[in-house]
Amino acid sequence: MRVSALILPVYPWREGRHIWREAEDLGFHAAYTYDHLSWRTFRDGPWFGAVPTLTAAAGVTERLRLGTMVTSPNFRHPVTLAKDVMTLDDVSDGRVTIGIGAGGIGFDASVLGQAPWSTAERTERFEEFVPLLDRLLTDGDTTHHGKHYSAYEARMLPGCVQRPRVPLAVAATGPRGLALAARHGQAWITTGPARKGDETDPELLPGIIAGQLDGLARACAAEGRDPAELSHILLTGFTREQPLASVQAFVDFAARYAALGIDEIVVHRPVPGTCFDPGQGVYEQLPAAVAAAFGG
């Protein structure tokens, strides 16, 4: 079991540099940030870009893995994203994981002036976006003419530090998304219910995630892959479960999901005065507590 941090991109860098360094010093496996242009109740406050933030974080850390949780097609194009990712992999000396999802109907969905895409179109775009991003990060020269995305002699030189490319962590709950995770992913991400919210009874969540893991196993079987080849990541903070109530509460929480096959849990670094306010003292103790409880 690994525990990682989700650091919201809300800090001016004079403050943020210490927060990202803190994540490494505390012993978190990875630190991720959201790749949105604005987000939820944070829309009217400071919110910085994911790629520059991660690039700066790479400069103040040495061992901590870094990544997005998650990037989506809402405002990204595979060609420009691949170039940013390749560069970030170089700057960090191979410590990057790119979390990627289909996107939703929040602020990012219309910020470029378009009407939000339907669920069907988001899924269709995702099914084109992920394979093309895979090719771009793997090959030095890519040409693709698709329904939604095109690339013409897109050069990605010298390529990624990590070979054959930067790992992709695919967020998915439905069959088509799970198929993409099985085909292209090195990790799979879930937040629990397919629709985020706190209305789900916490006692039902292990069963929901077990069902998703079964779906991922079937998708992997169809691709001829062992599900154990993928890391299984649980992003917390979107249900009524309170894993940061105490250190022991988190250890018990982690044990329940480890038994199902989850091997990485991501918690938000607390932000005072927000929905992610509670738990700073617990947050700081998590890496040591997880290492003691699960080894590592």
Side-chain angles (χ1 to χ4, degrees):
M1 175 59 71
R2 299 183 294 271
V3 60
S4 297
L6 191 298
I7 301 174
L8 272 69
V10 297
Y11 305 100
W13 192 243
R14 62 183 177 274
E15 181 181 357
R17 63 186 295 118
H18 303 295
I19 290 171
W20 286 84
R21 181 69 191 185
E22 171 196 64
E24 177 166 278
D25 291 343
L26 290 172
F28 283 98
H29 166 69
Y32 304 96
T33 198
Y34 288 129
D35 188 18
H36 294 292
L37 297 178
S38 57
W39 191 65
R40 298 193 177 198
T41 57
F42 295 87
R43 188 182 186 190
D44 295 323
W47 190 271
F48 295 95
V51 172
T53 295
L54 292 170
T55 304
V60 298
T61 58
E62 298 175 356
R63 304 175 304 279
L64 186 71
R65 287 202 66 82
L66 307 167
T68 56
M69 184 70 56
V70 294
T71 294
S72 84
N74 270 358
F75 63 92
R76 294 291 188 186
H77 189 284
V79 171
T80 51
L81 176 61
K83 184 68 76 171
D84 284 347
V85 169
M86 184 194 74
T87 304
L88 182 55
D89 197 44
D90 175 70
V91 172
S92 68
D93 195 23
R95 291 186 285 129
V96 175
T97 297
I98 295 301
I100 186 166
I105 58 172
F107 306 126
D108 293 343
S110 57
V111 70
L112 299 183
Q114 79 274 25
W117 302 322
S118 66
T119 299
E121 183 171 355
R122 288 199 305 272
T123 301
E124 185 179 82
R125 285 176 174 270
F126 196 41
E127 288 176 323
E128 187 178 344
F129 193 103
V130 173
L132 179 53
L133 182 63
D134 188 339
R135 285 181 57 196
L136 287 160
L137 291 172
T138 304
D139 300 336
D141 186 337
T142 301
T143 295
H144 169 83
H145 301 290
K147 180 177 179 180
H148 300 291
Y149 305 103
S150 295
Y152 178 70
E153 296 182 356
R155 304 292 202 275
M156 294 294 159
L157 300 172
C160 297
V161 173
Q162 300 173 87
R163 296 295 184 176
R165 57 155 169 75
V166 167
L168 299 182
V170 180
T173 55
R176 293 166 69 177
L178 292 171
L180 285 174
R183 191 172 305 126
H184 299 280
Q186 285 64 57
W188 165 73
I189 303 167
T190 184
T191 57
R195 294 183 179 179
K196 295 183 181 71
D198 62 2
E199 68 277 1
T200 303
D201 186 335
E203 293 185 3
L204 300 178
L205 290 172
I208 291 171
I209 292 176
Q212 293 169 356
L213 285 162
D214 286 345
L216 180 63
R218 290 191 298 271
C220 285
E223 294 294 328
R225 293 188 71 184
D226 181 347
E229 294 177 17
L230 283 73
S231 180
H232 301 147
I233 302 172
L234 172 59
L235 172 61
T236 65
F238 299 102
T239 70
R240 283 191 287 147
E241 289 189 296
Q242 298 293 327
L244 297 188
S246 68
V247 172
Q248 189 58 51
F250 185 85
V251 170
D252 294 344
F253 173 89
R256 286 197 300 276
Y257 289 101
L260 297 177
I262 296 294
D263 53 42
E264 181 178 348
I265 295 177
V266 182
V267 298
H268 292 79
R269 185 189 189 275
V271 181
T274 74
C275 58
F276 301 119
D277 191 349
Q280 177 66 31
V282 173
Y283 166 88
E284 294 171 351
Q285 299 178 67
L286 293 185
V290 167
F294 297 94

